[in-house]
Amino acid sequence: MNVLIGLKNVSVFQQKIMILKDVNLEIKEGEFVYLVGRTGSGKSSLMKLLYADLPMKEGEASIVGYDLNKLKRKEIPFLRRKLGIVFQDFQLLMDRSAAENLLFVMKATGWKDKKKMEQRLKEVLKDVRMDTKGHKMPHQLSGGEQQRIVIARALINEPDLILADEPTGNLDPETSRGIMNLLRDISISGRAVVMATHDYSLFTEFPGRKITFEDSTIKEKNTIIDIVKDKVQSIVN
């Protein structure tokens, strides 16, 4: 399997403040990986580094074939076309329909053939089970439906990797389960899914690698004992 993310001795900074240090991580295609930790532990900062919203300062890092140490500003849009990014707060354009939100991204990323655009639009809406609701405005959709449109937007350019930052954070348990099933299907199709979350209840039903953020670095914990310890610790704290 191809390595989609390779980090070696990486430090992550927000301006001059070090958020994470000595980060070593390898993620391959088809993997489902959780990033777990308290708010402020560095999960979102690491994701921002991966999609080049934060600069590389220390260590070695590659993502979907791009060397972040050598990445030029003009190459950032091309890197992001190979990624699908899912935010907790949706970030949909509220003045246009769900379908128009997707078409906006397609135009912004270089699509020009109208027939191909319409065909791809139909495909991704069907993939996220929203093929009958593309005409609706975001405010006419439930939170779960809006998140499905966000995932459709992330899939538009057939990315190798999905980065999802707390994608179920604002959703009820049943809706969250639907979103998780969708993300799991995406990973089964061969893409990798990297998901930041603080919801420990997901791990049993939707297994995956578990990367814990603590003490300004990351540790991989995948045994049942580790997971139970973390659950107890989260309750105590």
Side-chain angles (χ1 to χ4, degrees):
M1 292 186 292
N2 293 326
V3 175
L4 300 180
I5 296 176
L7 306 179
K8 185 176 180 181
N9 301 323
V10 167
S11 294
V12 181
F13 291 81
Q14 289 270 12
Q15 296 180 346
K16 294 183 179 181
I17 300 173
M18 181 185 289
I19 306 298
L20 294 167
K21 62 184 179 181
D22 300 325
V23 173
N24 293 280
L25 180 64
E26 186 175 276
I27 296 175
K28 297 179 180 179
E29 59 188 9
E31 288 195 287
F32 199 111
V33 182
Y34 291 105
L35 307 183
V36 185
R38 297 178 182 176
T39 300
S41 61
K43 304 185 301 295
S44 295
S45 294
L46 181 61
M47 285 199 173
K48 287 181 178 179
L49 180 82
L50 294 175
Y51 60 79
D53 198 41
L54 289 177
M56 270 294 302
K57 292 188 177 181
E58 292 183 7
E60 301 174 15
S62 64
I63 179 168
V64 293
Y66 284 86
D67 185 339
L68 293 183
N69 300 80
K70 300 177 181 178
L71 188 70
K72 298 177 181 178
R73 182 175 295 274
K74 65 181 181 181
E75 295 176 314
I76 292 176
F78 298 98
L79 161 65
R80 291 179 181 171
R81 287 176 201 175
K82 297 185 73 174
L83 304 175
I85 304 171
V86 179
F87 299 100
Q88 178 181 358
D89 56 358
F90 310 142
Q91 296 191 9
L92 292 170
L93 301 170
M94 303 304 289
D95 63 344
R96 59 197 74 193
S97 71
E100 288 168 343
N101 265 270
L102 303 185
L103 289 171
F104 176 84
V105 171
M106 296 170 85
K107 291 174 183 176
T109 53
W111 290 70
K112 291 183 171 60
D113 187 312
K114 289 186 178 181
K115 287 186 177 179
K116 289 182 179 179
M117 291 171 71
E118 288 293 334
Q119 180 60 35
R120 184 62 185 149
L121 178 64
K122 290 179 182 178
E123 290 172 355
V124 292
L125 286 174
K126 184 177 181 180
D127 287 344
V128 300
R129 303 173 187 88
M130 290 290 290
D131 43 317
T132 64
K133 298 188 178 182
H135 65 286
K136 291 195 172 184
M137 302 295 284
H139 72 269
Q140 297 175 307
L141 302 173
S142 69
E145 289 172 336
Q146 288 187 52
Q147 192 62 291
R148 286 178 180 272
I149 295 299
V150 172
I151 294 172
R153 182 179 63 190
L155 292 172
I156 279 288
N157 290 308
E158 300 184 272
D160 299 318
L161 172 66
I162 299 289
L163 300 176
D165 194 357
E166 300 281 2
T168 63
N170 292 327
L171 305 176
D172 62 81
E174 184 177 352
T175 303
S176 295
R177 191 173 294 110
I179 295 300
M180 289 302 299
N181 277 315
L182 182 55
L183 291 172
R184 183 178 61 181
D185 289 345
I186 291 170
S187 72
I188 290 172
S189 74
R191 298 178 175 91
V193 174
V194 177
M195 174 180 164
T197 186
H198 58 266
D199 187 352
Y200 291 81
S201 68
L202 299 172
F203 303 151
T204 302
E205 187 173 356
F206 304 98
R209 289 174 62 191
K210 180 170 168 287
I211 309 298
T212 300
F213 287 60
E214 56 184 41
D215 301 325
S216 299
T217 191
I218 67 170
K219 300 175 183 178
E220 185 154 7
K221 296 182 177 181
N222 287 307
T223 69
I224 296 298
I225 293 175
D226 284 333
I227 292 172
V228 170
K229 281 183 178 179
D230 280 351
K231 282 184 180 179
V232 171
Q233 191 67 34
S234 70
I235 294 170
V236 170
N237 294 328

